[in-house]
Amino acid sequence: MYIMKKILYKLLILSMVVGAVSCQDMESVNTDPNNPAGVPSNMVMAGAEKKIMDYVYDNWFSGRQSLVYSQYWCQRNYTEEDRYQIRESVNNNYFNQLYTCQANLTKVIKLNSDPATALAMAKYGNNKNQIAAAKILKTWLYQVMTDTWGSIPYTEASKLDEGIYYPKYDDQTEIYKAMIKELTDAAAMIDVKEKAFLGGDRIFDGDALKWKKFANSLKCRLAIHVSKVDPNWKNYIAEALANGVFESNKDNAVYTYSKTAPEQCNFYRGYFEDMRNDFTISRPFMDILKGQTDTLNAKSHPWAGVQDPRLPIYTTSPDSIGMPLGIPSSSVESGMRTAAPNWKKNPPLCLNADFSVPLMTYAELQFILSEYNGFSVKEYKDGVRASIEYWSGLNGTTVGDAQMNTYIAAVSNNVNAEKVALQKYIDLYMNGTEAWVEYRRTGYPVQLLKPNEISCISGGETLKFTTLSETKGDLISRVKYPTNESTLNKEAFDAAVSKLQDKTNNYYSKMFWDVRTSTNQHPANK
């Protein structure tokens, strides 16, 4: 029964997927007779949401990439990805699959805007609201994609039906401008008195007002990303605030999985269906949560000695030592694995089958607003409180008011750029892509290990974080373009690579919003 249910589910999702890959030679593609033209738009949206979450929040794109790059996790056995050796087959697959997800969202927009189908689709939600929600989620996904690879196909992507088989790579600066405009336009077209979707929406259950708040909050995120390079960033945030943003944790954009197969979270499935035991909390993140200084690398902690109340929520065995990060697989010893939490035997919250993966939260917004207001204390404290309240109780560990107030008081002396960035980093746990963005944008947390810093001392031997790809002495700046693009979309690929540092497809070319220098840890906002 389980196998049959799983097969039927996959067939349903497959029937909703638009078989479109942005950078593939599609000149000889035939019409798929198994792709019905009359699929309800709310079901296309449901399939798109799940497919996006399954790919972004899984044990590869997140587990072996962004959660490792942001040093929340590291691997217990095979550490090559921790050290920036990326598998080309995986990179090719995710680039293609995420564009397929974009095509599905484009399908929702077209079904609700084409006069031939719009009237029929209105049965599943207000047409304009459906279009707006699809545009908002598209923007969220494009942000993940452009902040992973850099300049990518945007304006010409998902246009196979218009005869565009080889889409150009848009400059990331232009993609950001377009994304901010897309969010502004999407929020403006929403009618909050009407539902966005009548069923199928697992993020906001069709609530148009929450989709609008998400659009404006996401606009604030994009604005803070470009705050070092775009003098209009404060205007973007002011516009978003005037139009309505998240007001509490009730507005959080999260996708909640189910305990019922095949609807479980992919983190869970990686451990308990694929029967793997690859990951655990990293030592740098464990030290941050424990309030421990990194004596091996002479790094301070802004509130040394203060343990974070989220520690027993984020990981089981909170008294243990995190896994050394970035050491060769041959240097990993059984004692290191024993000293780190064994998540297979004692699963933490993120390995629950029905884990809620966060797209964006009210707490993140408060940290953005603190920076917007010159690193203000009020929004900083509101962010810390909102984060603890969000995570509290999700795994049975509840943080009481007294404990919360004591902690907030302890971490709120002399609020500055570093403290805001560090608390934001702690809150962004499991949202590895955004935490990775924030490190590249601000240089914080300084507690994260850089290449050639000491990871641990074992048996009298000093083991350092060593990389398998050149990153110019810092954390990885981007993921290389997939090799398939060099043959399937060669002209556009070559043009994009020519604009990278050293005119090579490398891991160290910075995003346009990353203007850090070795002597300027957190550049001033414009």
Side-chain angles (χ1 to χ4, degrees), residues 184-236:
T184 302
D185 293 345
M189 72 188 303
I190 289 176
D191 182 352
V192 298
K193 299 187 293 297
E194 299 278 350
K195 293 283 285 187
F197 296 97
L198 300 172
D201 175 14
R202 292 282 291 273
I203 298 175
F204 290 124
D205 194 27
D207 189 323
L209 178 58
K210 289 187 176 182
W211 276 106
K212 182 171 184 174
K213 290 180 179 180
F214 181 32
N216 291 313
S217 300
L218 187 56
K219 184 175 176 178
C220 292
R221 176 195 279 184
L222 298 184
I224 209 70
H225 285 182
V226 300
S227 60
K228 314 297 184 187
V229 295
D230 187 341
N232 293 312
W233 73 276
K234 280 202 165 187
N235 294 333
Y236 303 146

Side-chain angles (χ1 to χ4, degrees), residues 15-73:
S15 73
M16 295 184 292
V17 171
V18 177
V21 177
S22 75
C23 305
Q24 185 174 350
D25 185 348
M26 301 294 286
E27 290 180 318
S28 61
V29 168
N30 295 317
T31 301
D32 181 1
N34 297 314
N35 188 13
V39 177
S41 53
N42 65 333
M43 294 303 294
V44 180
M45 187 71 173
E49 286 181 358
K50 185 175 187 301
K51 193 173 180 68
I52 290 167
M53 298 304 112
D54 284 351
Y55 279 110
V56 173
Y57 296 102
D58 75 340
N59 292 286
W60 288 95
F61 192 83
S62 280
R64 289 176 176 84
Q65 289 191 186
S66 63
L67 289 171
V68 168
Y69 302 162
S70 51
Q71 300 187 14
Y72 292 128
W73 284 12

Side-chain angles (χ1 to χ4, degrees), residues 53 132-133 136-141 143 183 187 190 203-204 207-221 240 244-246 251-254 358-361 364-365:
M53 298 304 112
I136 294 162
L137 189 55
K138 275 191 71 172
T139 301
W140 179 89
L141 181 55
Q143 184 241 305
L183 291 174
I190 289 176
I203 298 175
F204 290 124
D207 189 323
L209 178 58
K210 289 187 176 182
W211 276 106
K212 182 171 184 174
K213 290 180 179 180
F214 181 32
N216 291 313
S217 300
L218 187 56
K219 184 175 176 178
C220 292
R221 176 195 279 184
V245 294
F246 291 159
D251 294 328
N252 290 347
V254 297
L359 286 75
M360 186 175 183
T361 65
E364 180 192 339
L365 177 65

Side-chain angles (χ1 to χ4, degrees), residues 76 271-272 275-280 316-317 334 337-338 340-348 351:
R76 304 173 69 250
Y271 268 76
F272 303 109
M275 302 306 294
R276 305 284 302 185
N277 189 13
D278 292 318
F279 308 102
T280 188
T316 49
S317 307
S334 59
R337 290 189 286 268
T338 301
N342 187 329
W343 284 354
K344 179 80 169 184
K345 291 184 177 179
N346 192 7
L351 297 189

